[in-house]
Amino acid sequence: MSLARREGLVYGVGALHAAARGDRMMWALHRAALSNGIVPVIPAVAVAEAYRTEARGDRIAELLDGTEVEPFSSEAARRSGELAARCDTTELATIAVIELADRRNCAVVAQRQAVLRNAAALLGHELVLYAV
Amino acid sequence: MVTKRSVSLVDEVATAVEEAAKQDGVSFSAWLSNAAEKQLQVRQGLRGVAAWEGETGSLSAEELAAGEALLARLRSGVSGVASRVRRR
């Protein structure tokens, strides 16, 4: 258990899939965040992956209305690429989520994946995860 | 592009914004602009939630409370797993 306070939320591809399939807890969490003045953040690469793998793009768009999609800057791309190499993974959308959560001190909403924990451990980042 | 507007702020708010802008290393105008942009994102986001609720049914009081509780846990650094709340 971690007790370090988080500034906000980062959504991974799983969060967008959960919203698209109508997961009410996901929507309740999203509404709670907005009602508390928190705008969840999503790396642009995760948005691209969600649209690639989800048929209900309209539902993704509704969720994205209340998020900040962070562009994949050259610095974030470098950090993510290096971290992916150390994790021996091609899951760049997942790695970008951890890189962003570490940099902006956020909790993560995503599917439970070993690569999330591996990447967090390599960064020395204490992962706070809501597994959808 | 930048639009210049004359705005009036309560003295205490103006002082607090001045201090916050200094701490964040941005100008008074940039700080206010960022705050307004975030408020617009929240507003737009809540409209998105309302649109989803219009299609699928409003979130119940129990669901709203569960969302608030989950957010509080995550912000305090406690991980969680997906749970279902009963829909009324």
Side-chain angles (χ1 to χ4, degrees):
Chain A
M1 178 186 290
S2 162
L3 292 175
R5 188 159 180 81
R6 304 298 157 166
E7 300 296 328
L9 300 177
V10 173
Y11 290 167
V13 177
L16 298 181
H17 283 166
R21 71 169 180 262
D23 182 322
R24 299 183 70 79
M25 194 64 218
M26 179 66 222
W27 281 96
L29 173 63
H30 184 59
R31 178 170 162 163
L34 292 167
S35 297
N36 285 276
I38 295 169
V39 177
V41 191
I42 312 180
V45 64
V47 176
E49 179 63 11
Y51 274 113
R52 186 182 76 81
T53 53
E54 175 57 57
R56 292 298 309 263
D58 54 335
R59 290 269 174 84
I60 290 178
E62 283 171 350
L63 191 82
L64 289 179
D65 274 345
T67 63
E68 175 194 342
V69 178
E70 191 188 84
F72 211 24
S73 69
S74 59
E75 179 59 21
R78 183 186 64 76
R79 274 171 48 95
S80 295
E82 289 174 354
L83 185 56
R86 291 170 68 199
C87 289
D88 193 23
T89 181
T90 58
E91 299 282 337
L92 276 174
T94 306
I95 292 292
V97 165
I98 283 295
E99 190 276 331
L100 179 51
D102 181 53
R103 181 161 38 85
R104 293 176 65 164
N105 187 29
C106 290
V108 172
V109 181
Q111 281 181 318
R112 187 184 299 282
Q113 291 172 279
V115 68
L116 271 179
R117 296 207 179 276
N118 292 343
L122 282 169
L123 282 177
H125 174 79
E126 204 168 347
L127 177 64
V128 177
L129 172 69
Y130 173 58
V132 290
Chain B
M1 194 141 95
V2 173
T3 300
K4 275 190 176 289
R5 293 285 165 87
S6 173
V7 297
S8 301
L9 300 176
V10 174
D11 286 347
E12 292 78 10
V13 173
T15 304
V17 168
E18 220 162 56
E19 185 58 34
K22 199 179 293 176
Q23 285 173 8
D24 293 349
V26 296
S27 68
F28 190 93
S29 293
W31 199 95
L32 275 186
S33 182
N34 289 341
E37 186 181 355
K38 186 176 171 188
Q39 195 57 39
L40 287 168
Q41 281 178 315
V42 166
R43 192 163 175 265
Q44 180 70 16
L46 289 171
R47 284 185 177 178
V49 174
W52 174 79
E53 286 182 303
E55 296 164 18
T56 64
S58 297
L59 290 163
S60 67
E62 185 186 13
E63 288 170 330
L64 292 173
E68 289 283 347
L70 175 57
L71 176 68
R73 284 203 304 277
L74 291 171
R75 291 196 76 196
S76 64
V78 179
S79 289
V81 293
S83 60
R84 296 286 171 266
V85 284
R86 199 159 12 98
R87 190 177 169 186
R88 300 214 165 165

